[in-house]
């Protein structure tokens, strides 16, 4: 059985998988862990989740459901504080998010 610290590390590593099902599963697990938990937000922030989420959002061929999960994670992390919000901006997340709400964007992304 993995320890509490190992599970988040494994989830972050799963974000680099070439299997979209694994990526989606990891994102969903992370999203569910961090929403409403400052301790989990801090943990994933310290594990450098922002570059991973940013890269998923920046890819043109990323599945819509993966983008929705990633966008929800970004939204939750942005409520952590100014330091995290600044890293989101510096990490290029804002440009990726703006690109998602351009005309012709999937409705699910617009809602996220």
């Amino acid at each position: 059985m993995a320890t509490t610290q190992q599970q988040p590390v494994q989830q972050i590593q799963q974000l680099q998988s070439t299997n979209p099902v694994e990526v989606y599963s990891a994102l969903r697990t992370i999203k569910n862990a961090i929403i409403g938990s400052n301790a989990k937000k801090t943990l994933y922030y310290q594990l450098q989740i922002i570059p991973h989420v940013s890269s998923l959002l920046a890819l043109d061929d990323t599945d819509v459901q993966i983008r929705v999960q990633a966008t929800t994670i970004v939204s939750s992390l942005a409520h952590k504080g100014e330091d995290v919000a600044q890293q989101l901006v510096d990490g290029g997340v804002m440009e990726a998010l703006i690109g998602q709400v351009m005309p012709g964007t999937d409705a699910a992304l617009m809602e996220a």
Side-chain angles (χ1 to χ4, degrees):
M1 178 185 294
T3 67
T4 304
Q5 181 68 25
Q6 288 174 328
Q7 290 172 347
V9 169
Q10 290 170 345
Q11 292 159 355
I12 295 288
Q13 291 170 342
Q14 253 185 299
L15 297 179
Q16 299 173 40
S17 173
T18 57
N19 181 339
V21 174
E22 287 181 14
V23 174
Y24 175 82
S25 176
L27 286 169
R28 186 176 166 107
T29 300
I30 293 166
K31 177 198 72 175
N32 291 339
I34 67 171
I35 290 178
S37 173
N38 278 330
K40 292 288 185 175
K41 286 177 192 170
T42 298
L43 173 62
Y44 282 99
Y45 174 75
Q46 291 171 342
L47 292 172
Q48 300 294 309
I49 190 171
I50 292 173
H52 296 287
V53 172
S54 179
S55 67
L56 288 171
L57 291 171
L59 295 172
D60 290 334
D61 62 347
T62 300
D63 180 77
V64 169
Q65 292 306 314
I66 289 175
R67 288 178 181 272
V68 169
Q69 296 298 313
T71 300
T72 306
I73 289 170
V74 167
S75 175
S76 184
L77 288 173
H79 287 89
K80 177 71 176 125
E82 286 185 37
D83 290 344
V84 176
Q86 187 61 53
Q87 187 175 354
L88 289 166
V89 171
D90 293 346
V93 173
M94 299 311 295
E95 290 85 359
L97 290 175
I98 291 169
Q100 292 185 146
V101 295
M102 300 303 278
T105 301
D106 189 289
L109 288 173
M110 298 291 284
E111 291 177 22

